[in-house]
Amino acid sequence: RSRNLRLLVLGGDGREHALVWKLRQSPRVREIICLPGNAGIARLARCVPGNPEDPRAVAALVEAEGIDLTVIGPEAPLVAGVADELMGRGRAVFGPTRAAAELEGSKAFAKALMARHGIPTADYRVFDDPQAASEYTAARSGPLVLKADGLAAGKGVVIAREPREALAWIREIMVRRAFGNAGDRLVIEEFLEGEEVSVLAFCDGERVLPMVSAQDHKRACDNDEGPNTGGMGAYSPAPVYTPELAGRVEREILRPTVRAMAAEGRPYRGVLYAGLMITRDGPKVLEFNCRFGDPETQAVLPRLESDLVEVMLACAAGDLRDTTLRWRPEAAVCVVMAAPGYPGAYEKGLPISGLEEAGALPDVTVFHAGTAEKDGRIVTAGGRVLGVTALGPTVGDAVARAYDAVARIDFPGAHYRRDIARRALMRG
Ligand code: AMP
Ligand code: GLY
């Protein structure tokens, strides 16, 4: 049990800052390298430039640096086969193979897998041809959900209130290719009503170890208005997710999915992220992701007491049998501060002030997403800029602490939602 481990983390968003922050706390870690990282990560890890989606380049770095464990943050390197390349060279990696990452890389694959194995999800059809999609849609009534099959940076889903609106979107996605190749194939599914919750689970190919629940806020503005984003904030735990529901999700969704993937020759190792709708008929899968959620990770990992390095090594070794997770009882809230214009076009290079003061508040951690250092100052470098996170004895306390920290941070045009976790607070 070496205490001198060298880790490589791929990615450079808020999720990866939270991962590096948590991994750094392990007594077993000597050094962390991050490809490419950001200005916040640079305080905890050595950031190296390069392309995390290039399997050979990543493998070369792993070999040159003598890396003991590579942790893959975003989906793109997974879908590009970075885990396969590293495993092929006998290197420990946390993250699924390309074949297993299809669960996120192709919505049509995920839907078909769920259909084959009786995993609850919305009814759906898949179309390669805009004409057939339009005919199907014209014969329907009520709201429909349209999803580009491939990866579209969280933007490939539209909800059409009625078929006429859906028809316009079919043209937009399949003919005018608003989401590029991702929309060559389209999933059209039934609209589900209920409350959403994100559940992440560690997987070793056979076993699952679920984490505490979280709720994301996908829309850009308060009261769930405005366009969809990568996520404007998160909190954990989600009150809708009772222990009874957690048991049901593990039995009906998480374990059957991992079993199905193994049975189909795509053993799943890494984090399985299930985006769920809690409907009147029980929990149903909205989507799977093959990685940690962003910003859910920023709300979940501060609550994890266990050594994340141990858990990830066990997943990579295919043996979670003796691993358990310990959690802090406190709640966590993450408020995302975004650049003006996000999720549309936005400016970069805006100077950020107040980071030190906010970060010094008790139980507050400011995770960086799109930041860079320029002439000794921290400036914005992306759409989602910061994930201001606080722990508290209750969700209400954590909300108050997070917004107290947000109030001390400033950059021109900073945009954030003022109602993160309001739904949890309204439940009392
Ligand atoms: P996805 O990327 O598939 O999770 O979709 C993005 C968002 O669209 C989800 O977080 C939901 O808010 C919404 N959504 C997706 N599928 C459905 C559905 N079948 N019914 C209602 N809302 C959905
Ligand atoms: N927060 C949603 C996602 O990570 O896809």
Side-chain angles (χ1 to χ4, degrees):
R1 292 165 54 82
S2 165
R3 297 192 142 252
N4 269 319
L5 298 178
R6 312 193 70 215
L7 271 44
L8 172 66
V9 175
L10 301 185
D13 275 318
R15 163 184 50 216
E16 287 77 25
H17 190 180
L19 284 166
V20 168
W21 172 85
K22 180 65 188 166
L23 292 166
R24 197 86 203 86
Q25 293 167 15
S26 168
R28 299 195 55 191
V29 171
R30 187 175 62 166
E31 193 190 9
I32 304 181
I33 297 176
C34 191
L35 171 67
N38 62 34
I41 294 173
R43 307 216 161 162
L44 304 169
R46 174 151 63 87
C47 294
V48 299
N51 179 6
E53 295 167 30
D54 178 344
R56 293 231 189 101
V58 172
L61 179 67
V62 163
E63 285 174 353
E65 294 283 354
I67 297 294
D68 300 294
L69 173 69
T70 300
V71 176
I72 304 180
E75 61 276 17
L78 294 163
V79 171
V82 170
D84 306 65
E85 180 73 28
L86 293 175
M87 285 165 74
R89 299 190 194 205
R91 296 284 175 168
V93 58
F94 182 83
T97 60
R98 186 211 304 251
E102 277 263 288
L103 214 43
E104 173 169 1
S106 166
K107 291 186 189 286
F109 169 78
K111 297 294 289 192
L113 182 100
M114 288 187 269
R116 283 194 293 274
H117 297 271
I119 295 160
T121 187
D123 287 337
Y124 76 104
R125 295 274 301 270
V126 181
F127 297 94
D128 293 299
D129 168 34
Q131 184 65 34
S134 301
E135 281 165 19
Y136 169 77
T137 298
R140 305 276 312 208
S141 62
L144 286 171
V145 183
L146 279 60
K147 302 186 173 186
D149 176 54
L151 293 183
K155 291 167 196 150
V157 175
V158 293
I159 294 171
R161 277 158 300 181
E162 35 106 31
R164 202 153 28 120
E165 197 179 323
L167 288 171
W169 274 109
I170 292 170
R171 211 171 314 120
E172 194 63 24
I173 297 169
M174 298 189 86
V175 182
R176 300 181 61 195
R177 312 183 87 227
F179 306 127
N181 294 341
D184 287 350
R185 174 172 277 188
L186 189 68
V187 174
I188 301 185
E189 67 179 35
E190 122 195 67
F191 178 79
L192 297 177
E193 273 178 276
E195 195 162 338
E196 278 185 61
V197 57
S198 303
V199 179
L200 286 63
F202 292 104
C203 305
D204 70 356
E206 266 180 72
R207 286 160 283 259
V208 298
L209 208 50
M211 298 181 223
V212 290
S213 62
Q215 208 151 39
D216 186 8
H217 298 61
K218 291 203 172 150
R219 302 296 206 92
C221 305
D222 288 359
N223 301 316
D224 291 328
E225 285 168 14
N228 258 321
T229 70
M232 293 298 294
Y235 62 95
S236 173
V240 63
Y241 205 65
T242 58
E244 188 207 354
L245 188 57
R248 196 164 165 196
V249 167
E250 186 171 347
R251 280 192 311 276
E252 295 177 12
I253 294 172
L254 298 172
R255 278 200 242 137
T257 302
V258 169
R259 212 180 304 126
M261 292 295 279
E264 299 202 2
R266 303 171 189 247
Y268 193 96
R269 286 183 187 172
V271 170
L272 176 63
Y273 165 138
L276 305 175
M277 188 72 89
I278 310 306
T279 73
R280 268 191 314 192
D281 307 326
K284 295 191 178 181
V285 176
L286 292 175
E287 65 164 343
F288 285 123
N289 292 320
C290 59
R291 47 160 179 89
F292 279 95
D294 191 341
E296 289 92 328
T297 308
Q298 293 87 311
V300 167
L301 288 186
R303 301 189 57 211
L304 180 63
E305 240 167 33
S306 311
D307 185 333
L308 183 59
V309 175
E310 302 280 1
V311 181
M312 288 183 162
L313 285 171
C315 290
D319 191 359
L320 276 172
R321 245 173 316 183
D322 300 323
T323 307
T324 50
L325 300 176
R326 279 172 289 108
W327 298 97
R328 301 168 63 132
E330 288 98 329
V333 169
C334 170
V335 178
V336 169
M337 298 182 76
Y342 176 79
Y346 51 82
E347 232 180 301
K348 293 185 189 177
L350 307 167
I352 309 173
S353 63
L355 288 170
E356 298 288 336
E357 190 189 334
L361 294 172
D363 292 315
V364 168
T365 309
V366 181
F367 293 117
H368 290 221
T371 66
E373 194 170 326
K374 198 174 133 208
D375 307 325
R377 291 207 66 171
I378 309 274
V379 300
T380 71
R384 290 190 290 177
V385 177
L386 302 167
V388 181
T389 303
L391 284 167
T394 65
V395 174
D397 295 309
V399 167
R401 286 177 192 177
Y403 279 107
D404 181 20
V406 165
R408 295 163 200 254
I409 300 174
D410 193 35
F411 53 89
H415 165 68
Y416 58 90
R417 281 181 60 161
R418 284 151 215 273
D419 65 346
I420 300 304
R422 185 175 291 164
R423 189 168 294 160
L425 297 180
M426 285 183 335
R427 281 174 169 255

